[in-house]
Amino acid sequence: MKKFIFIFLLSFSSVLGYSQILIEDFEAAPLTADASGVWTNTSGDWLVKDNRTNTGENWKNVVNPFTKYGGTKAAFVNRENSGAGVLAEEWLITPQRNILANSQLRFFTRQTLVGDLGTKYQVRASSAADPADLTQYTLVIEYTESELSSLTADQLDYEEKVINLAFTGQRYLAFVKVFTQPTAAAGGDRWLIDDAKIVERCIDPVAPLGTPVIGATTTRLEWTSTNTQFQVQYGPAGFTLDVPAPNVVISPVFTNNSTPRRR
């Protein structure tokens, strides 16, 4: 008899009032924003702006011939010829949301060209009343082209970015593509974003997850945590959290008084 050992990636998380603050897949949006820059999506009215004339290439949801992460559409901004020495910023601004403690911004993203051509990819935040006042935004994080996609050598695969937000309260978040064109020829790279969400993140256990007893078809999990609600997810290595798929198991949320139990 042959013995087969399957190695699975296990995700364990504690749950503290888990809530979804914003979910957007860009499937229901029109092709482009209206003349004022309003881009109506399922999650509300997003705002599309740039730092110059608002007449050049900017965010839309037709990405052919580039792939989408899920569904048939994604948010996409193309390259453009802005002129030698011109700093071009293309802004995609979320609806205002109340950011809770332990919130995360999560999104899948990719670029379209091999190598680092000098584009910067930023997330910014503003607590101002007017989302169109671009001067009120502060930098949350910035990625170079090499940092945005790092799963494969050609940098052309979707990668999930997970950003822990260090603030609370009413905020607009903005995805900003930044590029200063060095010559008269168009340069830089494009940017695709899909399945963007702001969620209340799960808190990690205090101690490493232990598996003291492993059987042929079962195992016992042990952990230490001050929290009282938990969830276990497992599947083949590389599976996406919270997404049902073949061979992926997502347990119901359980408490320290139910089975399975924490220690």
Side-chain angles (χ1 to χ4, degrees):
M1 183 179 75
K2 294 183 179 180
K3 181 178 181 180
F4 295 90
I5 300 175
F6 294 90
I7 300 175
F8 286 82
L9 176 65
L10 176 70
S11 171
F12 168 82
S13 60
S14 59
V15 180
L16 283 175
Y18 178 84
S19 62
Q20 298 178 335
I21 301 168
L22 180 143
I23 302 290
E24 186 53 64
D25 59 10
F26 305 103
E27 293 295 312
L31 170 61
T32 60
D34 66 19
S36 67
V38 173
W39 197 28
T40 301
N41 281 274
T42 303
S43 59
D45 287 343
W46 293 54
L47 191 61
V48 173
K49 291 291 182 181
D50 69 30
N51 65 326
R52 292 155 293 128
T53 63
N54 294 312
T55 58
E57 285 288 343
N58 218 322
W59 292 91
K60 54 188 176 182
N61 69 358
V62 172
V63 299
N64 292 331
F66 309 109
T67 60
K68 289 70 64 178
Y69 179 77
T72 61
K73 299 177 182 178
F76 167 72
V77 61
N78 208 344
R79 298 171 5 129
E80 66 174 316
N81 192 330
S82 57
V86 174
L87 170 63
E89 297 176 352
E90 275 70 53
W91 291 65
L92 176 63
I93 302 170
T94 70
Q96 188 180 56
R97 287 294 188 269
N98 184 31
I99 306 301
L100 306 175
N102 300 314
S103 290
Q104 286 181 330
L105 171 64
R106 308 173 71 109
F107 59 96
F108 287 88
T109 186
R110 61 161 290 193
Q111 52 209 356
T112 67
L113 299 172
V114 178
D116 193 329
L117 304 178
T119 310
K120 299 293 191 299
Y121 303 101
Q122 298 180 347
V123 175
R124 304 189 194 185
S126 171
S127 59
D130 182 5
D133 187 352
L134 306 186
T135 66
Q136 296 301 305
Y137 287 81
T138 58
L139 183 66
V140 176
I141 195 168
E142 179 181 89
Y143 302 102
T144 65
E145 291 184 28
S146 299
E147 294 166 338
L148 186 74
S149 273
S150 58
L151 296 178
T152 55
D154 64 12
Q155 306 170 199
L156 301 183
D157 290 282
Y158 273 100
E159 178 175 321
E160 186 180 26
K161 295 299 184 183
V162 179
I163 303 166
N164 294 332
L165 302 177
F167 47 77
T168 59
Q170 297 290 335
R171 293 291 193 282
Y172 295 100
L173 298 184
F175 300 95
V176 189
K177 184 172 78 76
V178 181
F179 182 69
T180 300
Q181 188 170 307
T183 67
D189 206 337
R190 304 169 181 90
W191 195 7
L192 295 96
I193 293 173
D194 207 355
D195 291 352
K197 54 188 175 182
I198 304 171
V199 297
E200 193 175 1
R201 69 185 177 93
C202 297
I203 308 302
D204 294 334
V206 173
L209 186 65
T211 53
V213 179
I214 301 177
T217 59
T218 62
T219 186
R220 189 176 81 206
L221 306 179
E222 295 183 355
W223 62 90
T224 300
S225 177
T226 58
N227 301 318
T228 59
Q229 291 183 295
F230 308 91
Q231 185 179 66
V232 175
Q233 300 185 28
Y234 64 90
F239 80 96
T240 301
L241 290 177
D242 302 322
V243 178
N247 301 317
V248 172
V249 174
I250 302 175
S251 81
V253 173
F254 55 89
T255 71
N256 57 326
N257 294 317
S258 60
T259 301
R261 294 182 60 185
R262 69 169 184 170
R263 288 185 179 268

